[in-house]
Amino acid sequence: MSEVITIGEPLVILASKDMDKKLEDVKTFQRLLGGAELNVSIGISRLGHSVQYISQVGDDPFGKYVKKEISEHNVGTDYILEDNEHWTGHQIKQLVSKGDPDTFNYRKNSAASYLTSEIVDKIDLSDVKFAHMSGIFPAISETAENTFRKLFKKLIDNNVKTTFDPNLRPQLWSSEEVMRETINNLASMANIVLPGINEGKILMGSSDPEKIADFYLKGEQTETVIVKVGPDGAFVKNKNGETYTVHGFKVDHVVDTVGAGDGFALGVISALLENKPLKSAVLRGNAVGALQVQTPGDNDGYPTPEELKAFYEKESVAE
Ligand SMILES: O=C(O)C(=O)C[C@H](O)[C@H](O)CO
């Protein structure tokens, strides 16, 4: 039983401790936990909401670490299966003084990529108000894509509100064309679509936020599109043609940009769960994104309710 549900692949992140070193030259790594949809789950839980994370890990030390950490973050593990034939996915990540870090994935044939669609029949949606879906899980294998689509259909049939973050990972797709077609098709199944401007450029050929929004508003289930425009915040357009921009927050020192988009998604979802208006939810998305980029891990900057309140006070804004 939970308010939120999501599906994804957890990754053990081996984060470099050697500043600005190429991945092949790094000598010391720190073990952290990541995976976009897991990041969202961790942040939702930190803000006091219940969440179940659907996935599969290997019967290996990384799988055991991942499951233990997930429980410690108070994220539900009811739908995390164990596969004793495949290993848990992992990733190595650079430490950079500026820009986005280089990453390399060891996730081909991972345990999560073998999560079959039978799991979907076992999922109880009775208390679920939101499901967060992202373009990563359907990219990791055909099996994962089938499971993802079956879940999406069940969510629609049960009137569960859905958010969809394209989360482009070109290295996981067989071609850019397959990525574009699949992601755009999946986006049309979601109520709220959360593309970034760079993703818009790749997926529909424009970096104009309104054009991106208009493109995704054609989706069958889509009611609202929120386009992330980086430090400037986010542009919102809904089916009624209403548009507005919600400002971002200035960050003096960016430590690591990874996890900011997930922070945005969880900020929006958690605020909507608390019946805040969409504008406030988008502001919270921007706030959580800004907090996340100030920390080295993929999810360690997500706030508790008290930390979020303190951030708003410091920024002199009200939600
Ligand atoms: O889930 C992935 O593909 C990752 O690369 C791990 C990170 O935690 C994720 O990118 C953050 O969005």
Side-chain angles (χ1 to χ4, degrees):
M1 296 288 185
S2 69
E3 299 167 273
V4 181
I5 203 153
T6 184
I7 182 166
E9 171 167 42
L11 286 178
V12 174
I13 309 289
L14 299 173
S16 164
K17 296 205 75 166
D18 303 333
M19 181 71 84
D20 292 326
K21 279 262 181 353
K22 284 195 203 145
L23 284 173
E24 64 258 42
D25 296 325
V26 174
K27 290 211 169 92
T28 318
F29 291 98
Q30 177 187 6
R31 186 190 58 177
L32 300 167
L33 185 62
E37 310 79 4
L38 179 56
N39 296 337
V40 171
S41 308
I42 290 172
I44 295 260
S45 161
R46 205 168 284 157
L47 281 167
H49 296 281
S50 54
V51 50
Q52 287 285 345
Y53 176 67
I54 307 162
S55 195
Q56 183 156 270
V57 295
D59 178 16
D60 57 6
F62 277 169
K64 289 190 174 63
Y65 157 73
V66 166
K67 264 189 108 166
K68 193 164 144 270
E69 277 276 304
I70 293 177
S71 301
E72 280 171 10
H73 283 291
N74 270 320
V75 171
T77 55
D78 293 2
Y79 307 121
I80 303 184
L81 306 187
E82 211 171 89
D83 173 352
N84 54 21
E85 282 173 32
H86 305 95
W87 307 140
T88 309
H90 51 286
Q91 178 187 86
I92 51 175
K93 180 171 85 160
Q94 250 187 333
L95 177 66
V96 288
S97 50
K98 55 176 183 308
D100 293 336
D102 187 18
T103 57
F104 188 88
N105 292 314
Y106 296 83
R107 66 199 302 185
K108 205 175 169 50
N109 288 319
S110 66
S113 73
Y114 285 91
L115 180 65
T116 58
S117 67
E118 282 98 76
I119 182 90
V120 176
D121 302 324
K122 302 198 180 91
I123 294 167
D124 177 3
L125 293 176
S126 32
D127 284 332
V128 177
K129 300 199 175 65
F130 265 96
H132 179 65
M133 308 294 274
S134 115
I136 301 177
F137 196 68
I140 63 174
S141 69
E142 219 178 290
T143 306
E145 185 183 336
N146 288 339
T147 305
F148 188 88
R149 284 187 183 276
K150 184 166 164 187
L151 176 64
F152 226 145
K153 188 165 180 316
K154 179 164 170 166
L155 294 166
I156 295 171
D157 292 346
N158 285 272
N159 289 317
V160 175
K161 283 259 178 229
T162 50
T163 45
F164 180 77
D165 184 339
N167 257 330
L168 298 190
R169 297 288 181 276
Q171 68 275 32
L172 299 180
W173 293 95
S174 56
S175 72
E176 194 173 304
E177 200 187 330
V178 173
M179 173 175 83
R180 201 179 302 124
E181 271 173 23
T182 314
I183 296 272
N184 288 341
N185 171 263
L186 292 169
S188 74
M189 299 167 81
N191 302 121
I192 304 178
V193 183
L194 306 168
I197 32 171
N198 296 336
E199 290 175 326
K201 181 105 189 98
I202 297 166
L203 291 170
M204 51 68 68
S206 172
S207 27
D208 175 338
E210 186 147 12
K211 289 201 175 113
I212 299 172
D214 287 338
F215 179 84
Y216 287 107
L217 279 169
K218 287 188 216 127
E220 202 177 324
Q221 303 290 330
T222 310
E223 294 151 7
T224 306
V225 180
I226 310 174
V227 184
K228 292 165 275 182
V229 291
D232 291 339
F235 172 84
V236 182
K237 186 162 186 176
N238 64 25
K239 267 240 138 84
N240 305 327
E242 197 191 345
T243 62
Y244 53 88
T245 298
V246 180
H247 71 82
F249 296 92
K250 198 174 165 309
V251 174
D252 291 330
H253 179 56
V254 174
V255 178
D256 181 305
T257 51
V258 178
D262 305 329
F264 181 83
L266 77 90
V268 171
I269 296 166
S270 62
L272 292 177
L273 280 172
E274 294 159 27
N275 295 319
K276 304 268 181 197
L278 184 64
K279 217 177 238 178
S280 306
V282 177
L283 184 74
R284 188 185 294 188
N286 290 340
V288 178
L291 283 163
Q292 173 54 28
V293 299
Q294 300 178 54
T295 59
D298 290 11
N299 49 52
D300 40 359
Y302 300 152
T304 60
E306 296 71 32
E307 285 161 351
L308 182 65
K309 192 164 166 269
F311 177 77
Y312 280 143
E313 275 166 16
K314 184 175 116 304
E315 295 289 333
S316 309
V317 292
E319 195 170 83

